[in-house]
Amino acid sequence: MSKQHRRVIIIGAGAAGIGMAVTMKTFQLDDVCVIESGTIGHSFKNWPKSTRTITPSFTTNGFGMPDMNAIGKDTSPAFTFNEEHLSGETYAEYLEVVARHYEIEVQTETHVHAVNLVDGVYELETSQGMFTADYLFIATGDFAFPNQPFEHGIHYSEVTDFTELPGKAFTIIGGNESAFDAAIHLAQQGAEVTIYTHSTGFNAEEADPSIRLSPYTQQRLRKAVQEGASITMKVHYQADAIDFRDGQYAILFTNGEVVYSQTEPIIATGFDVTRNPLIQQLFTVNEGEVSLTDLDESTRYPNVFLIGATVRHADAILCYIYKFRARFAVLTHAIMQREGLHVNPDIVEEYKANQMYLDDYSCCGVNCSC
């Protein structure tokens, strides 16, 4: 079987994968390939139809503030689609447009079956043959790995469209963005919705939008309630199990209470990236978090990096595009230095000027006085 060698292989063609490839292209780091098991923006295409980006898009690039949902400093979903909060389908189209414009090499419908380190080179056994690389970037995201700890219940990511779910009353397990998004859509269709959660970002004191419920969701929630939507939230409820009894669902909580639901409970408990076989093989996982060096590199394998929304460093949570895109140029710069390649200082300054060169995690604290 012939081998196709690339200097860099990026696994995953979502926002992180395409964004990383675009950055490498602008730095003139050549021989980069993106491998994707589905199509470009595959996870975004699987979003519920009613779901929208909670970060707003606005074309402010000319003032050193790129569109918050942009993956490259010279692109803007707002400019391309004239929308502020994009659907998953539209965002996937944006990624396709960007990949095409920058002529990114993307191998779609290519499943990675195994990764092996052989004599300092990574060998990837895929459904389209063998690929080899000197550097690997894992950009598989977390949407394909829902956190569903119960025997029953439909996870948020499995819902095609919340506005089309039949039923007059719904129970939601979880207390953050996806839980409230589901609740708003269902309540606006006239259903009674009850949210059960052990904690919530609804009234969090933290200013960090990775913890606090977003203004977009808060605004939609207020409007829905003002228009008569029935949404009740019960905090300090930790669901322990969900059974199906006599034609209805029984939700058992650790405090001993049992709640019954005629409709299948909606599980909005987020995602578990540690279920990803690639993460399990290439990285060390401690207490549900992926261990990384300060350069987002695996602590187990050299030249293997994690990029995207799953990157965590102490209090720095990079779960939004405008956060994790700021690492692309830093990692590109680091690789070129390892390879002894010339780095154009003007390009580095361009990324810094556009707030897309985060090389110090200590500056990521979010504090607001009012």
Side-chain angles (χ1 to χ4, degrees), residues 240-314:
D240 188 46
I242 300 177
D243 297 333
F244 188 68
R245 308 172 180 173
D246 302 323
Q248 60 182 344
Y249 297 89
I251 307 168
L252 289 69
F253 293 95
T254 54
N255 62 5
E257 290 192 39
V258 179
V259 171
Y260 294 91
S261 175
Q262 297 294 326
T263 55
E264 190 171 11
I266 295 168
I267 311 303
T269 50
F271 302 87
D272 182 6
V273 70
T274 64
R275 293 180 54 242
N276 183 341
L278 281 175
I279 297 293
Q280 294 173 355
Q281 176 189 352
L282 298 173
F283 298 87
T284 297
V285 178
N286 287 319
E287 297 181 354
E289 292 196 2
V290 183
S291 296
L292 300 171
T293 70
D294 290 341
L295 205 58
D296 306 345
E297 190 172 4
S298 169
T299 57
R300 294 180 60 190
Y301 289 91
N303 301 328
V304 176
F305 300 84
L306 182 66
I307 54 175
T310 55
V311 175
R312 303 281 190 277
H313 282 280

Side-chain angles (χ1 to χ4, degrees), residues 219-241:
Q219 178 181 329
R220 292 166 56 223
L221 179 62
R222 286 195 300 270
K223 181 180 179 182
V225 172
Q226 289 169 359
E227 293 176 349
S230 176
I231 301 175
T232 302
M233 180 173 63
K234 295 182 178 291
V235 187
H236 307 306
Y237 278 76
Q238 176 71 54
D240 188 46

Side-chain angles (χ1 to χ4, degrees), residues 190-238:
E192 292 185 2
V193 181
T194 305
I195 297 173
Y196 290 89
T197 180
H198 64 90
S199 61
T200 177
F202 172 71
N203 53 3
E205 294 183 0
E206 292 89 346
D208 189 341
S210 295
I211 300 172
R212 186 182 178 91
L213 203 64
S214 70
Y216 178 62
T217 303
Q218 296 265 13
Q219 178 181 329
R220 292 166 56 223
L221 179 62
R222 286 195 300 270
K223 181 180 179 182
V225 172
Q226 289 169 359
E227 293 176 349
S230 176
I231 301 175
T232 302
M233 180 173 63
K234 295 182 178 291
V235 187
H236 307 306
Y237 278 76
Q238 176 71 54

